[in-house]
């Protein structure tokens, strides 16, 4: 019972004159309150019915959701079981494949072990072959020397007078104090090695018709020219070199190369390999002047010599040869050639002439120091007559 209903009940129970007057004064209001109480009771019943319906609907929905949830769980369980079986099958297959790969790996390791031994043997054979090739090249150079010596002895025997031996001839060059052919074989390298290194200069002489090799030595450059169909003639002050070149079917003569060049009408190519370091300053200037005078337009002069900007030459190659005068700086050679009249001048530093020493560093100063210490042992100055 609501408080309003309790109030109405209490008001209705009043008696006596006071109660009657009160009821008569508030009769309309009490009737309104009574109607309100009745309306509230009806509303309360409706609300209760709605709450009951909502509760029932909620219980129904909860039951349906519960059923749906159980169905979803069952479906997920079935899917998980299916995927689990599929994964198990894939795992079994992977394990079988892995077992097969393991067997193949063991077999491959055995094969690689055998091949590794074979590769090691092959590497050793290759190293031995390189050593044998180097020895063979050295023997070939020595053989060429002995052929020259034998030919010289035979010629001397044929031309010698039966009388007492003639007095010794005056020395023709600085090389007469030593067997320079044998000296070069020992220190400069084999003929085949030098010839391969000189291929660098071949493009400068392609298509030439008259090339002069001043200081032709053992004929490496002349042989290179002959193989490529380029007419070339060599001059050297050392007679055994000239003899060797002629025995190889190369065109060469004994004499002063600068004087020979000065006597020519013209040439279209000049090669001077490892020569200017043997010359005095006035001879080098004379060579540059004669080269510019005798070269035809487009003719090329190549001068190769030890590189004094690489300090390593002073600990080895340069001072090994007692006939060397002094190294010629590349800028000095450029100056002499410019004064002679050349305007197209290039300086190259052959990569193959670098010593087998490297300083690995990203520092600019260290790299510069490495170039000074272990740069190219030789340089070549190439001048073309315009």
């Amino acid at each position: 019972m609501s408080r309003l209903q309790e109030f109405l009940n209490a008001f209705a129970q009043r008696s006596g004159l006071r109660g009657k007057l009160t009821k008569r004064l508030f009769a309309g209001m009490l009737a309104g309150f009574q109607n309100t109480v009745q309306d509230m009771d009806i509303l309360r019943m409706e609300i209760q019915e709605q709450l009951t319906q909502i509760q029932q609907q909620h219980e129904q929905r909860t039951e349906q959701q519960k059923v749906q949830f159980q169905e979803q769980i069952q479906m997920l369980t079935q899917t998980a079981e299916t995927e689990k079986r599929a994964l198990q099958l894939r795992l079994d297959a992977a394990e079988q494949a892995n077992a097969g790969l393991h067997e193949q790996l063991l077999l491959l390791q055995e094969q690689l072990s055998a091949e590794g031994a074979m590769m090691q043997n092959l590497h050793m054979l290759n190293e031995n072959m390189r050593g044998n090739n180097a020895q063979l090249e050295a023997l070939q150079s020595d053989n060429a020397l002995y052929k020259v010596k034998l030919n010289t002895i035979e010629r001397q025997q044929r031309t010698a007078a039966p009388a007492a031996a003639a007095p010794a001839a005056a020395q023709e060059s600085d090389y007469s104090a030593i067997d320079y052919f044998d000296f070069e074989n020992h220190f400069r390298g084999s003929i085949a090695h030098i010839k391969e290194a000189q291929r660098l200069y071949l493009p400068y002489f392609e298509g030439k018709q008259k090339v002069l090799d001043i200081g032709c030595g053992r004929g490496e450059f002349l042989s290179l020219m002959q193989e490529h169909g380029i007419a070339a003639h060599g001059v050297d002050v050392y007679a055994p070199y000239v003899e060797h070149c002629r025995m190889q079917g190369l065109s060469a003569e004994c004499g002063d190369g600068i004087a020979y060049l000065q006597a020519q009408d013209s040439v279209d190519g000049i090669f001077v390999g490892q020569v200017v370091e043997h010359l005095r300053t006035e001879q080098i200037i004379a060579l540059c002047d004669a080269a510019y005078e005798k070269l035809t337009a487009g003719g090329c002069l190549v001068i190769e010599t030890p590189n004094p900007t690489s300090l390593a030459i002073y600990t080895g190659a340069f001072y090994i040869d007692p006939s060397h005068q002094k190294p010629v700086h590349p800028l000095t050679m450029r100056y002499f050639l410019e004064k002679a009249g050349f305007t197209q001048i290039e300086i190259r530093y052959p990569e193959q002439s670098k010593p087998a020493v490297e300083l690995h560093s990203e520092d600019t100063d260290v790299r510069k120091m490495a170039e000074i210490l272990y740069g190219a042992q030789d340089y070549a100055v190439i001048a073309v007559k315009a």
Side-chain angles (χ1 to χ4, degrees), residues 329-334 345-349 379-382:
H329 198 282
L331 297 182
T332 304
M333 279 306 315
R334 177 189 286 274
I345 302 172
E346 173 190 3
I347 297 176
R348 295 190 61 175
Y349 298 89
Y379 75 89
V381 57
I382 299 100

Side-chain angles (χ1 to χ4, degrees), residues 104-123:
Q104 293 180 8
L105 178 61
L106 292 176
L107 179 61
L108 183 61
Q109 286 177 340
E110 293 177 358
Q111 293 176 350
L112 288 176
S113 179
E115 290 179 1
M118 292 177 61
M119 289 298 295
Q120 186 176 3
N121 292 334
L122 182 61
H123 180 71

